[in-house]
Amino acid sequence: MGEVVHMIDSEVFLAFSTYATIVILKMMLMGPITSYHRLTKKVFSNMEDTALGGPAEDRKKLIRVDPDVERVRRCHQNDLENIIPFVVIGLLYALTGPDLSTALLHFRFFVGSRCLHTVAYLLPLPQPSRALAWMVGMVTTFSMAYRVLTTALFL
Amino acid sequence: MGEVVHMIDSEVFLAFSTYATIVILKMMLMGPITSYHRLTKKVFSNMEDTALGGPAEDRKKLIRVDPDVERVRRCHQNDLENIIPFVVIGLLYALTGPDLSTALLHFRFFVGSRCLHTVAYLLPLPQPSRALAWMVGMVTTFSMAYRVLTTALFL
Amino acid sequence: MGEVVHMIDSEVFLAFSTYATIVILKMMLMGPITSYHRLTKKVFSNMEDTALGGPAEDRKKLIRVDPDVERVRRCHQNDLENIIPFVVIGLLYALTGPDLSTALLHFRFFVGSRCLHTVAYLLPLPQPSRALAWMVGMVTTFSMAYRVLTTALFL
């Protein structure tokens, strides 16, 4: 691990920065999509938000649960549960000095699988498309974690 | 990006460390606030927790949903969805060597907006105070992501 | 903080990489555990998932909430709320150049407490075992945040 300082200037680290930023931006997009459904369908969680949803009478009825909103929220939650581990383990992985081509393969598979996962969740596509996309992301992250633990193990 | 190694010793990186730590501590505070509401109002999610809430009879009734607890939990969830992207993108941004004053502007706006967001959510303040605070945080993070992608793009 | 670049090659950083990877893998395990309960108990959130759960009649009845699934999901959520702050603050802490033995103490206490937390949540063990495990993790992270803010404060 003597070459770690060198790694932070490397193309692998640049590639990690690029793909991590893209996949985090994709995750952040789920917030506005949730807001869009809340505002267009007038479905809110907080009394103070109902004023944005239209005229004031019957505001209490707007505090409700909607299947479309919940679907986006589940997708967002799944992003949190999978993209954050990718970013953490991917950063450590990038510092272990992998081959550029191997690293790009991991980053591209992960980001591609999460984009597919979002499409499969929101349309929705029939299963097992979403399950497979989720699994590809998991396997990619496990593969990077394996390299981190085999090159940097210090318990 | 040749100066990245230098950046990790820079004042920008120190500033990032400081603001990231502060905003993460703010996020962690939501856990104890949730516990406080659960214990004072005796609202639990798990049967094994009800023993902490008082005498043992009618414990099943304590497994319920409370608007105050749910409000804190939604605020915590919104923190997870916004503060974590800030930390990831802010770290990469700090490594791209921005001007110290520009970087401080981003970090201060973000941390300030998230503190306002929490106050606006928990009191609650009338809208659009919370919506605006949320939007300022999003824009700050997008602005940093733009710089990361324009200075470090490697696909 | 002049020795930061040196720190990223240090044993403290290797130890951080190892423990962060282990605790993130533990967190990722909650996803498959949720899936396991969903598939064996046939409890789903999405109509398109019910096809995996068995024959097609009465599929709508499979869209429901189950206490075991919700328990795993709450545990997963608590992991997100606690493990991610540990990873962020732990990374910055590792760059402040702490003693190896002090750093190992923090990392081991945190990872140990979160493993106990998961066991206490999923079995479940009687309280206050889970509350204590949660608190040890919080205190460990606060202790590292204290060092980050006292050695790297730059507002």
Side-chain angles (χ1 to χ4, degrees):
Chain A
M1 193 107 162
E3 74 279 26
V4 165
V5 170
H6 181 64
M7 286 319 298
I8 215 171
D9 266 325
S10 70
E11 292 186 319
V12 171
F13 197 81
L14 284 179
F16 169 73
S17 300
T18 304
Y19 285 99
T21 302
I22 290 170
V23 80
I24 290 274
L25 288 175
K26 189 226 77 57
M27 182 169 85
M28 289 176 73
L29 205 67
M30 307 312 286
I33 295 177
T34 306
S35 301
Y36 169 80
H37 282 292
R38 285 200 184 283
L39 291 170
T40 54
K41 303 188 80 175
K42 301 187 180 170
V43 181
F44 300 102
S45 299
N46 303 293
M47 263 314 281
E48 70 269 24
D49 301 352
T50 56
L52 292 169
E57 77 273 7
D58 299 320
R59 282 189 182 183
K60 277 211 167 176
K61 284 186 191 162
L62 302 180
I63 307 295
R64 55 198 166 119
V65 168
D66 176 83
D68 288 349
V69 173
E70 293 309 305
R71 181 173 284 277
V72 183
R73 291 183 64 219
R74 285 195 300 273
C75 185
H76 202 165
Q77 183 70 15
N78 198 280
D79 274 356
L80 286 170
E81 292 169 4
N82 288 276
I83 290 176
I84 298 164
F86 165 79
V87 169
V88 173
I89 290 176
L91 173 71
L92 301 172
Y93 168 79
L95 298 178
T96 64
D99 284 341
L100 178 60
S101 57
T102 318
L104 281 173
L105 201 72
H106 281 86
F107 301 158
R108 285 172 185 162
F109 258 87
F110 184 84
V111 176
S113 75
R114 294 310 301 182
C115 292
L116 279 176
H117 182 272
T118 303
V119 172
Y121 217 145
L122 297 189
L123 283 183
L125 297 178
Q127 285 281 28
S129 55
R130 198 183 87 231
L132 284 176
W134 174 78
M135 217 168 284
V136 169
M138 288 287 274
V139 169
T140 313
T141 309
F142 280 131
S143 164
M144 294 191 302
Y146 177 78
R147 182 173 162 100
V148 172
L149 290 182
T150 48
T151 58
L153 193 71
F154 190 99
L155 281 167
Chain B
M1 193 108 165
E3 75 278 30
V4 166
V5 170
H6 181 65
M7 286 319 297
I8 215 169
D9 267 325
S10 70
E11 292 185 321
V12 171
F13 198 81
L14 285 180
F16 169 73
S17 301
T18 303
Y19 285 98
T21 302
I22 289 170
V23 81
I24 290 274
L25 288 175
K26 190 225 77 57
M27 181 170 86
M28 289 176 74
L29 206 67
M30 307 311 286
I33 295 177
T34 306
S35 301
Y36 169 79
H37 282 293
R38 286 201 184 282
L39 290 170
T40 53
K41 304 188 80 176
K42 300 188 180 170
V43 180
F44 300 102
S45 299
N46 304 291
M47 265 313 282
E48 70 269 24
D49 301 353
T50 57
L52 293 169
E57 76 274 8
D58 298 321
R59 281 188 182 183
K60 278 212 168 176
K61 285 186 191 163
L62 302 179
I63 307 294
R64 55 201 166 116
V65 168
D66 176 82
D68 288 349
V69 173
E70 293 308 305
R71 181 174 282 278
V72 184
R73 292 183 63 220
R74 284 194 300 273
C75 186
H76 202 166
Q77 184 69 17
N78 197 279
D79 274 357
L80 286 171
E81 292 169 4
N82 288 276
I83 290 176
I84 298 164
F86 165 79
V87 169
V88 173
I89 290 177
L91 174 71
L92 301 173
Y93 168 79
L95 298 178
T96 64
D99 284 341
L100 178 60
S101 57
T102 318
L104 280 173
L105 202 73
H106 280 86
F107 300 158
R108 285 172 185 162
F109 258 86
F110 184 84
V111 176
S113 75
R114 293 311 299 183
C115 292
L116 280 177
H117 182 273
T118 303
V119 172
Y121 216 145
L122 296 190
L123 284 183
L125 297 178
Q127 285 284 26
S129 55
R130 198 183 86 230
L132 284 176
W134 174 79
M135 218 167 285
V136 169
M138 287 287 274
V139 169
T140 314
T141 309
F142 280 132
S143 164
M144 294 192 302
Y146 177 79
R147 182 174 162 99
V148 171
L149 290 183
T150 49
T151 58
L153 192 71
F154 189 99
L155 282 167
Chain C
M1 194 108 162
E3 73 281 25
V4 166
V5 169
H6 181 64
M7 286 318 298
I8 215 170
D9 266 324
S10 69
E11 291 184 322
V12 171
F13 197 81
L14 285 179
F16 169 73
S17 300
T18 304
Y19 285 99
T21 303
I22 289 169
V23 81
I24 290 274
L25 288 175
K26 189 225 78 55
M27 182 170 85
M28 290 177 73
L29 205 67
M30 307 311 285
I33 295 177
T34 306
S35 301
Y36 170 80
H37 281 293
R38 286 201 184 283
L39 291 170
T40 53
K41 302 188 80 176
K42 300 188 180 170
V43 181
F44 301 101
S45 300
N46 303 292
M47 265 312 283
E48 71 268 23
D49 300 353
T50 56
L52 292 170
E57 77 272 8
D58 299 321
R59 281 188 182 185
K60 276 211 168 176
K61 285 186 191 162
L62 302 179
I63 307 294
R64 55 200 167 119
V65 167
D66 176 84
D68 288 348
V69 172
E70 293 309 305
R71 181 174 282 279
V72 184
R73 292 184 63 219
R74 284 195 300 273
C75 184
H76 201 165
Q77 183 70 14
N78 197 280
D79 274 356
L80 286 171
E81 293 169 4
N82 289 277
I83 290 176
I84 299 165
F86 164 79
V87 169
V88 173
I89 290 177
L91 173 72
L92 301 172
Y93 168 80
L95 298 179
T96 64
D99 283 341
L100 178 60
S101 57
T102 318
L104 280 174
L105 202 71
H106 281 87
F107 301 158
R108 285 172 186 162
F109 258 86
F110 184 85
V111 176
S113 75
R114 294 310 299 183
C115 292
L116 279 177
H117 182 273
T118 303
V119 172
Y121 217 145
L122 297 189
L123 283 183
L125 298 178
Q127 286 281 25
S129 56
R130 197 184 86 230
L132 284 177
W134 174 79
M135 216 168 286
V136 169
M138 287 287 274
V139 168
T140 313
T141 309
F142 280 132
S143 165
M144 294 192 301
Y146 178 79
R147 183 175 162 98
V148 171
L149 290 182
T150 50
T151 58
L153 193 70
F154 191 99
L155 282 168

